[in-house]
Amino acid sequence: MSYAAEFLIEKGILKEYYGAGGEIEIPEGVTDIAPFAFCYCEIERLILPKSLIRLKKDALRRCRSLKTVVVTGKNLKFGKEVF
């Protein structure tokens, strides 16, 4: 579970995650995830909102615990080397 205080979000862009990991649900309204936003995080499951349009390069770099990504939107674009 995740809380709004665990994210740095500016103008719809999720720039950084401060939480402990585990299961993370990104808040609805986020349109982009910036490069390195989750770099080295202990995420196991990531739930992406319908509002998400872009998951930029290196957004999930070195998230070695990541097992599941749930995509709820239809038009999501992945940058190079997202994982």
Side-chain angles (χ1 to χ4, degrees), residues 1-2 5-6 12 21-22 26-27 29 34 37 43-44 55-56 71 74 77 80:
M1 178 167 216
S2 48
E6 296 178 331
I26 296 174
I43 302 168
E44 294 175 10
L55 192 57
K56 297 193 177 175
V71 178
K74 295 181 180 180
K77 295 180 181 162
K80 291 182 179 180

Side-chain angles (χ1 to χ4, degrees), residues 51-62:
S51 60
L52 191 65
I53 298 169
R54 284 176 290 278
L55 192 57
K56 297 193 177 175
K57 180 181 178 183
D58 295 318
L60 298 164
R61 185 175 180 87
R62 306 218 184 213

Side-chain angles (χ1 to χ4, degrees), residues 9-81:
I9 301 170
E10 295 177 353
K11 297 181 182 178
I13 301 170
L14 192 155
K15 295 189 172 192
E16 198 164 345
Y17 171 71
Y18 304 112
E23 180 173 315
I24 299 170
E25 184 170 357
I26 296 174
E28 191 62 44
V30 170
T31 57
D32 294 80
I33 297 178
F36 305 104
F38 291 97
C39 190
Y40 292 101
C41 290
E42 295 296 320
I43 302 168
E44 294 175 10
R45 179 181 161 116
L46 181 64
I47 303 168
L48 304 175
K50 289 179 184 177
S51 60
L52 191 65
I53 298 169
R54 284 176 290 278
L55 192 57
K56 297 193 177 175
K57 180 181 178 183
D58 295 318
L60 298 164
R61 185 175 180 87
R62 306 218 184 213
C63 291
R64 294 189 173 137
S65 300
L66 185 62
K67 294 179 178 112
T68 306
V69 177
V70 178
V71 178
T72 58
K74 295 181 180 180
N75 297 315
L76 180 59
K77 295 180 181 162
F78 288 83
K80 291 182 179 180
E81 302 173 2

